[in-house]
Amino acid sequence: MAIEHEYFGLIETDNGSISWNDTVELGDQSVTVDLSAPFEADVEAAALDAAAMLVRALEGMDIAARNAMVAELDSRTSEVTEYILQQEDRLGDDLEDFLVDISGDTPIDVIRSLSLVSLTVLLDEFDSDEPFAILEYIIDVDAPDEALLVNFGSDGTIQSIASADR
């Protein structure tokens, strides 16, 4: 079977599950966009429309995500603070090599320097309390397992920020 959508085109299904991916350009970054759902029957047309809207609004989502990260710097126990400390520990003096701008405020410099690598949309979580869209950020392309994940609801609001140490 397959689903056709105005923005995404023909979305193939495999044993009833949906999986679609593409790459979009955001400034000088290539961002992987993945759509998925375990069961095609769980995917509403509105979920695909919301996913298309999020892809179109990726730049705004990125700005909102980075602003949310900055807001979490006030807490020494936040996932963002922990991620930055982990990167400082791991990279030491080499951290400066990964920064696009060195202002003297290392946490802010790290957030500015994070690469947005993917947008994952969980189509079956549309209108639920679980994350619908996840932006994945990394500082070091050679350590993609150490990431910050910003979780969005289907209404485009940020639900949480988590670190992923896979």
Side-chain angles (χ1 to χ4, degrees), residues 68-134:
M69 288 180 212
V70 170
E72 287 207 0
L73 292 176
D74 290 340
S75 171
R76 299 263 312 138
T77 59
S78 76
E79 294 282 338
V80 175
T81 301
E82 291 295 322
Y83 177 82
I84 292 168
L85 292 172
Q86 176 187 24
Q87 297 310 309
E88 288 178 322
D89 238 17
R90 186 177 68 81
L91 296 169
D93 292 338
D94 293 335
L95 177 62
E96 286 189 4
D97 296 341
F98 295 91
L99 303 178
V100 295
D101 185 29
I102 300 175
S103 70
D105 187 343
T106 302
I108 296 294
D109 294 343
V110 169
I111 291 170
R112 283 184 188 147
S113 302
L114 290 171
S115 295
L116 173 58
V117 292
S118 71
L119 163 63
T120 301
V121 181
L122 307 171
L123 295 169
D124 57 318
E125 297 298 345
F126 181 72
D127 268 351
S128 80
D129 292 336
E130 296 299 316
F132 176 67
I134 303 161

Side-chain angles (χ1 to χ4, degrees), residues 7-58:
Y7 182 83
F8 299 110
L10 193 62
I11 301 172
E12 296 290 331
T13 60
D14 183 27
N15 292 328
S17 67
I18 292 176
S19 181
W20 179 93
N21 66 25
D22 197 6
T23 302
V24 297
E25 298 302 316
L26 180 65
D28 62 348
Q29 299 179 85
S30 293
V31 180
T32 302
V33 176
D34 293 304
L35 306 180
S36 68
F39 303 105
E40 177 184 356
D42 292 343
V43 177
E44 302 173 34
L48 288 167
D49 293 342
M53 185 175 63
L54 293 176
V55 174
R56 288 184 189 114
L58 190 55

